[in-house]
Amino acid sequence: MKKLKSAREIPIGTAIEDAGCSREYHTGSWRNFRPIHDKEKCVNCLTCWIYCPDGCVQVKDGKVVEFDLKYCKGCGICAEECPAKGKAITMVPEEKKE
Ligand code: SF4
Ligand code: SF4
């Protein structure tokens, strides 16, 4: 039976050469679903801002103003965690976004 490698034996697979280089990776280009924000239902608790793994939720003066779709990969975490009654974020298939 083949012996598995330890973590120390596995080569390093990536390197971050410049701080902030993730800005170059527009993960929104492969999104299947996009979040649609309902300002009427939103209570501006900022839970979505805290949970979004890509920092897409844009906040101004304590209120959600938009979702940066250049980086939103459509994971739906924001919609799942939104505590607003009736949910203030709905995930919609890209082909039905109109
Ligand atoms: S989690 Fe929902 S209610 Fe809270 S700020 Fe985001 S959209 Fe609004
Ligand atoms: S769908 Fe995912 S990546 Fe997009 S705004 Fe919500 S939490 Fe962020």
Side-chain angles (χ1 to χ4, degrees):
M1 190 173 139
K2 191 176 174 186
K3 184 178 176 289
L4 296 175
K5 290 182 179 178
S6 74
R8 289 178 195 278
E9 293 169 313
I10 297 171
I12 296 171
T14 188
I16 297 172
E17 295 174 355
D18 301 309
C21 65
S22 62
R23 285 181 182 274
E24 295 166 23
Y25 304 113
H26 292 173
T27 48
S29 63
W30 44 264
R31 183 182 55 248
N32 288 328
F33 288 82
R34 72 167 55 193
I36 303 295
H37 182 223
D38 185 336
K39 287 183 180 167
E40 298 297 317
K41 292 180 181 171
C42 180
V43 295
N44 291 299
C45 64
L46 304 188
T47 301
C48 54
W49 175 74
I50 292 168
Y51 274 89
C52 176
D54 288 296
C56 303
V57 182
Q58 305 297 300
V59 175
K60 190 174 180 193
D61 299 328
K63 294 185 176 180
V64 173
V65 288
E66 65 176 339
F67 290 68
D68 189 339
L69 296 176
K70 273 205 305 284
Y71 300 100
C72 169
K73 57 180 181 273
C75 66
I77 293 173
C78 55
E80 183 67 24
E81 297 297 333
C82 175
K85 194 173 179 187
K87 297 277 185 190
I89 303 169
T90 308
M91 299 304 295
V92 176
E94 277 295 318
E95 65 272 18
K96 293 183 180 172
K97 66 191 178 213
E98 299 304 326

